[in-house]
């Protein structure tokens, strides 16, 4: 029995289906080898019919001192094959103790035919203890999507502090980096033609938001972010604008605020354009700071339309990437 539940102009369906091949928010998510996927704070790049999921690889048995990024591939967004640890970095620029590599995001540059990875690089300043003081982005490139990425450099975008980063590719293919600049706010930067640097500050939204994500849906841009509460979940919020440069609306709650985004933090909004409909998936991390390798994922199809965005309570759901239909199990 099919029950169509289109609140707003939402594009998801509601139907009882078997749990096989369902996306299970908060559960262990085994890859093809049976290992829990290590792609925390991640992002997705689609190449042909294949989705590549990049993220922080925090596996317990990674060698100490190495910061790793893993890449997984899937054609249905449910079953993922571990392709490669595409970056294994040992303090490339003599950063301070406790340096970190977080939230890797990969873009494809059609002009140079390079895959370009951005990452949040942080750590202590020289002579200081631990801390997120460097506030830089790092850049690495590769000739293939899942090969060995070569670390190139780190910098502060246009001189601004940069902590959590997000990625956005607009419908015209233009590539943007979302970056948290404390205390100024949330920047949307356009990348240079070769993607190796930041060319332009398209907008500074003066809100203190991490885990920044953007999607363009039905003529409106939606920006999502979380409060600055470290690994602890908080009520993520969203705003809308007709152009990336703004003006942006006030930020509103994505879900009932007492739910703290169901224990998760935004990392990306993924748009699936199908033959029947377009779905937008909220990709979030459920962090487990003391056992990071066991951090979980909360992916749910959003109710979206007419300037409103709502994250449904987590439940198992299935996705047909061909038709674009997302079906939440009840
Ligand atoms: C979060 C951020 C994570 C990580 C963490 C460290 O707010 O989103 O990527 O940096 O803080 O406390």
């Amino acid at each position: 029995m099919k029950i169509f539940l289109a609140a707003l102009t939402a594009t998801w369906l509601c139907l009882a289906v078997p749990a096989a091949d369902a996306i299970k928010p908060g559960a262990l998510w085994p890859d093809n080898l049976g290992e829990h996927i290590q792609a925390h704070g991640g992002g997705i790049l689609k190449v042909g019919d294949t989705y590549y999921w990049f993220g922080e690889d925090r596996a317990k048995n990674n060698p100490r001192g190495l910061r790793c990024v893993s890449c997984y591939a899937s054609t249905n967004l449910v079953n993922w094959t571990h392709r490669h640890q595409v970056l294994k970095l040992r303090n490339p620029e003599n950063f301070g103790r406790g340096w970190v590599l977080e939230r890797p995001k990969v873009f494809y540059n059609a002009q140079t035919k390079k895959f370009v990875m951005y990452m949040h690089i942080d750590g202590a300043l020289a002579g200081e203890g631990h801390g997120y003081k460097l506030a830089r982005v790092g850049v690495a490139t590769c000739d293939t999507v899942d090969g060995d990425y070569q670390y190139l450099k780190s910098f502060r975008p246009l001189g601004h502090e940069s902590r959590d980063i997000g990625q956005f590719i607009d419908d015209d293919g233009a590539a943007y980096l979302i970056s948290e600049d404390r205390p100024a706010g949330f920047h949307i930067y356009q990348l240079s033609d070769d993607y190796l640097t930041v060319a332009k500050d398209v907008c500074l939204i003066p809100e203190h938001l991490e885990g920044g994500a953007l999607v363009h849906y039905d003529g409106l841009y939606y920006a999502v972010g979380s409060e600055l509460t470290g690994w602890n979940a908080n009520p993520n919020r969203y705003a809308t604008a007709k152009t990336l440069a703004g003006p942006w609306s006030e930020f509103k709650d994505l879900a009932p605020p007492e739910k703290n985004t169901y224990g998760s933090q935004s990392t990306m909004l993924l748009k699936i354009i199908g033959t029947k409909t377009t779905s937008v998936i909220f990709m979030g991390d459920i962090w487990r700071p003391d056992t990071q390798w066991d951090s979980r994922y909360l992916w749910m199809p959003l109710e979206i339309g007419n300037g409103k965005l709502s994250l449904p309570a987590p439940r198992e759901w299935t996705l047909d990437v061909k038709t674009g239909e997302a079906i939440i199990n009840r």
Side-chain angles (χ1 to χ4, degrees):
M1 181 178 65
K2 285 185 186 174
I3 305 165
F4 188 61
L5 261 197
L8 316 169
T9 57
T11 51
W12 47 271
L13 299 173
C14 175
L15 173 80
V17 289
D21 282 351
I23 291 180
K24 300 171 182 150
L28 282 170
W29 198 337
D31 66 7
N32 59 311
L33 305 172
E35 302 287 340
H36 180 48
I37 291 174
Q38 295 295 320
H40 312 287
I44 286 190
L45 179 72
K46 192 176 180 205
V47 182
D49 286 339
T50 305
Y51 296 91
Y52 292 90
W53 182 4
F54 296 86
E56 299 160 27
D57 180 339
R58 294 176 175 270
K60 213 173 172 181
N61 55 3
N62 283 341
R64 273 178 76 86
L66 276 191
R67 303 278 178 267
C68 303
V69 176
S70 261
C71 171
Y72 297 81
S74 173
T75 50
N76 64 8
L77 291 166
V78 181
N79 306 113
W80 292 91
T81 302
H82 185 246
R83 296 293 280 258
H84 192 45
Q85 270 188 333
V86 290
L87 191 64
K88 287 179 271 192
L89 221 51
R90 194 177 290 282
N91 203 345
E93 291 185 63
N94 203 18
F95 298 129
R97 275 190 57 212
W99 75 281
V100 297
L101 183 173
E102 294 178 343
R103 298 187 176 270
K105 305 281 180 292
V106 173
F107 301 85
Y108 176 65
N109 188 292
Q111 226 170 289
T112 62
K113 299 191 166 39
K114 295 263 184 207
F115 293 87
V116 182
M117 182 189 296
Y118 274 76
M119 63 204 91
H120 170 199
I121 292 282
D122 226 319
L125 294 174
E128 291 189 9
H130 289 254
Y132 280 65
K133 297 283 173 50
L134 288 171
R136 297 166 82 87
V137 291
V139 182
T141 60
C142 192
D143 290 336
T144 55
V145 63
D146 55 359
D148 291 315
Y149 281 68
Q150 300 300 314
Y151 179 85
L152 296 184
K153 60 180 175 180
S154 70
F155 64 96
R156 283 187 169 180
L158 305 176
H160 302 300
E161 291 191 11
S162 178
R163 291 191 173 81
D164 279 8
I165 57 161
Q167 89 186 107
F168 175 60
I169 299 167
D170 209 342
D171 301 331
D172 62 1
Y176 298 88
L177 186 76
I178 305 158
S179 151
E180 193 252 323
D181 173 11
R182 223 164 290 173
F186 183 99
H187 290 274
I188 302 170
Y189 294 116
Q190 182 154 15
L191 297 181
S192 60
D193 288 348
D194 60 7
Y195 293 1
L196 298 184
T197 192
V198 161
K200 187 177 162 199
D201 193 359
V202 177
C203 189
L204 169 66
I205 308 177
E207 285 278 328
H208 306 307
L209 291 176
E210 297 191 311
L214 282 167
V215 70
H216 190 221
Y217 180 86
D218 204 14
L220 269 185
Y221 291 91
Y222 293 74
V224 166
S226 79
E227 304 289 323
L228 312 187
T229 57
W231 300 119
N232 298 323
N234 58 60
N236 291 191
R237 292 182 300 138
Y238 74 95
T240 57
K242 289 200 176 117
T243 65
L244 284 176
W248 287 86
S249 71
E250 276 191 314
F251 278 79
K252 298 184 196 119
D253 289 316
L254 200 68
E258 68 278 7
K259 300 289 185 193
N260 279 332
T261 324
Y262 304 104
S264 73
Q265 182 187 23
S266 53
T267 186
M268 193 173 192
L269 297 174
L270 183 63
K271 186 161 78 168
I272 308 294
I273 304 171
T275 51
K276 287 196 185 156
T277 189
T278 296
S279 289
V280 178
I281 300 170
F282 173 89
M283 290 170 54
D285 294 286
I286 300 174
W287 297 110
R288 297 198 168 167
D290 298 330
T291 49
Q292 281 286 13
W293 54 89
D294 193 32
S295 293
R296 306 295 172 91
Y297 309 98
L298 188 153
W299 289 17
M300 280 301 288
L302 288 160
E303 294 174 39
I304 185 168
N306 296 334
K308 297 213 171 93
L309 203 60
S310 169
L311 176 65
R315 280 176 185 275
E316 289 188 12
W317 60 286
T318 55
L319 175 69
D320 183 332
V321 290
K322 294 214 167 52
T323 63
E325 290 166 307
I327 300 166
I328 299 179
N329 288 355
R330 299 281 154 177

